[in-house]
Amino acid sequence: MIPITRLYVGQEEADAAAEAVLSGWLSVGPRAAKFEELVAEQVGAKHAVAVNSATTGLHLALAALGIGPGDEVICPSFTFIATPNSIRYTGATPVFAEIDERTYNIDPAHVEQLITPRTKAIMPASQIGLPADLHALKEIARKHGLHLVEDAAPAYGATIDGVRLGTISDITVFSFDARKILTTGEGGVVTTDDSEVAAKLKALRAHAASISTLTRHTSTAVISESYDEVGFNYKMTDIQAAVGVVQLGKLDHVVKTRRSLAARYDELLAGNASLVLPHEPAGFGHVYQSYLVRLTDHARIDVMNAMAQRGVATRRITACHLEPVYHAGDATPSLSVTERVAADHILLPHFVGLTDEEQDEVVDALNAATA
Ligand SMILES: Cc1ncc(COP(=O)(O)O)c(C=O)c1O
């Protein structure tokens, strides 16, 4: 089977994890601090806060901004279910906006139409590794006094006009799960230039304790923490962080390889008139966490089944507003572009280590299934 992804981790990550295990400190500690320092430097942000997933990072970001019951947060429906779920965790309501038909990212014009007195934030997703139209969204956010909290889970290393994601939005959240650009198994990181928000994120991630465990452990005086509000346990372990430190060093290679694999797919699939290939707008640096094609005249399920029978795995992204957890009967919004794209696209195997032979087989299988 040619899988949808294959991990790009090896001896160096194994050694780093072993070293962390034997160090005597497993929870969030010096390696997490190093990971945060390197992420902040790599994306150019003042602060990075390591967490145990992007999902918890998104929840933490909204909680740090005081978003809660009665508030609305605008997000795309064409995203992973964790995006709206993170909004629901706070008690706020996710309001689903339409996507752009070429980039599959949230449509700023529709976002503006959905703003009400209850709206507190916009949460775009930089889906499958292509940045959302963040500058347009930022302008709307500023105009209406809203926060811009970006779900950049699949887009670590992606750029707009050469600037890496991580500072354009007020708060940016990246995932380091097993299918992302870089991985710590499970994990995430939240970046911001706002020192007050960063301090709040760090406290809330660890039960809102006024003094961190590491500070208490390394103090020669007896110091006691206090708990002034309800926090969470969203800490990244030092084992994950040790793996992450190694992974960060691979970013340039990973992005370069994913982009060249995408260019090769573009070239090999250009002659197939039954497909719409990905679009990278000028100035946008796509990291191709996934390679997405739309099927213009074939039923998606038939194509996925035919490819699976030939040993090629494929996946798809859901329209969250149609999932039972968010479906609201007659009150469900009609998002025609989202519904069309959600129904007719597939994701192809795309990972560092995909060989030319494997990629040729994916292309042959797709061409045969859409002949
Ligand atoms: C757009 C998007 N948001 C959020 C997540 C959740 O990331 P994590 O698994 O780190 O919680 C994912 C991961 O699949 C994602 O693709």
Side-chain angles (χ1 to χ4, degrees):
M1 191 79 177
I2 301 174
I4 196 74
T5 197
R6 205 176 275 144
L7 289 176
Y8 181 54
V9 291
Q11 194 59 48
E12 235 190 311
E13 285 84 352
D15 290 345
E19 195 268 331
V21 168
L22 297 172
S23 72
W25 192 277
L26 301 188
S27 177
V28 66
R31 286 162 198 80
K34 180 76 189 164
F35 176 72
E36 290 171 338
E37 187 190 315
L38 292 175
V39 167
E41 191 184 307
Q42 203 161 48
V43 306
K46 283 197 185 134
H47 307 279
V49 179
V51 287
N52 55 9
S53 73
T55 307
T56 57
L58 290 165
H59 179 205
L60 202 62
L62 296 175
L65 296 172
I67 289 169
D71 296 335
E72 293 176 356
V73 177
I74 301 172
C75 69
S77 164
F78 188 67
T79 182
F80 186 54
I81 201 80
T83 314
N85 281 355
S86 71
I87 299 166
R88 270 278 177 87
Y89 296 162
T90 68
T93 304
V95 176
F96 294 111
E98 191 54 287
I99 52 167
D100 176 88
E101 182 118 32
R102 290 298 285 123
T103 64
Y104 317 128
N105 277 328
I106 200 165
D107 174 3
H110 192 223
V111 166
E112 193 152 25
Q113 285 169 30
L114 295 172
I115 294 170
T116 73
R118 290 176 167 226
T119 311
K120 290 293 182 301
I122 306 169
M123 185 184 280
S126 288
Q127 190 56 274
I128 63 168
L130 176 68
D133 192 354
L134 298 177
H135 289 297
L137 293 165
K138 199 166 173 174
E139 209 177 299
I140 294 168
R142 293 288 170 270
K143 189 167 131 195
H144 296 272
L146 308 175
H147 302 288
L148 185 60
V149 179
E150 180 190 351
D151 177 353
Y156 192 78
T159 56
I160 299 181
D161 298 330
V163 175
R164 281 199 175 132
L165 300 189
T167 56
I168 304 169
S169 303
D170 300 323
I171 305 182
T172 309
V173 182
F174 299 102
S175 172
F176 280 70
D177 86 11
R179 239 186 93 193
K180 295 302 185 291
I181 298 300
L182 303 178
T183 187
T184 53
E186 296 284 351
V189 70
V190 187
T191 64
T192 183
D193 277 344
D194 186 321
S195 303
E196 228 170 276
V197 167
K200 188 102 187 165
L201 291 167
K202 279 197 175 170
L204 285 178
R205 137 186 102 171
H207 308 283
S210 60
I211 302 165
S212 78
T213 308
L214 188 62
T215 305
R216 281 186 287 125
H217 182 78
T218 50
S219 169
T220 48
V222 176
I223 43 174
S224 301
E225 78 284 14
S226 66
Y227 302 92
D228 300 337
E229 60 185 310
V230 176
F232 313 96
N233 183 357
Y234 288 169
K235 303 187 294 287
M236 175 183 267
T237 67
D238 253 28
I239 308 170
Q240 291 166 297
V243 172
V245 166
V246 177
Q247 285 273 296
L248 292 174
K250 298 183 170 175
L251 180 66
D252 290 346
H253 175 67
V254 170
V255 171
K256 199 166 147 227
T257 307
R258 284 182 170 274
R259 287 184 60 82
S260 70
L261 283 170
R264 191 162 185 271
Y265 267 139
D266 286 347
E267 206 180 296
L268 294 172
L269 294 170
N272 186 332
S274 295
L275 303 177
V276 177
L277 302 183
H279 169 65
E280 184 184 47
F284 283 60
H286 200 328
V287 290
Y288 293 95
Q289 181 261 343
S290 292
Y291 188 88
L292 180 156
V293 296
R294 293 180 66 193
L295 306 163
T296 56
D297 45 21
H298 288 79
R300 191 242 308 269
I301 188 67
D302 295 342
V303 173
M304 289 180 86
N305 272 327
M307 292 181 74
Q309 275 157 24
R310 265 184 78 149
V312 177
T314 56
R315 293 284 187 279
R316 97 285 186 245
I317 297 166
T318 50
C320 295
H321 73 292
L322 300 182
E323 289 299 313
V325 63
Y326 290 109
H327 196 268
D330 291 346
T332 303
S334 167
L335 301 171
S336 58
V337 181
T338 297
E339 286 162 28
R340 204 158 49 241
V341 175
D344 71 12
H345 79 281
I346 57 172
L347 308 178
L348 303 181
H350 195 79
F351 49 86
V352 177
L354 182 72
T355 64
D356 284 358
E357 294 70 34
E358 286 174 323
Q359 197 174 23
D360 291 344
E361 172 57 14
V362 175
V363 168
D364 286 351
L366 181 55
N367 283 339
T370 53

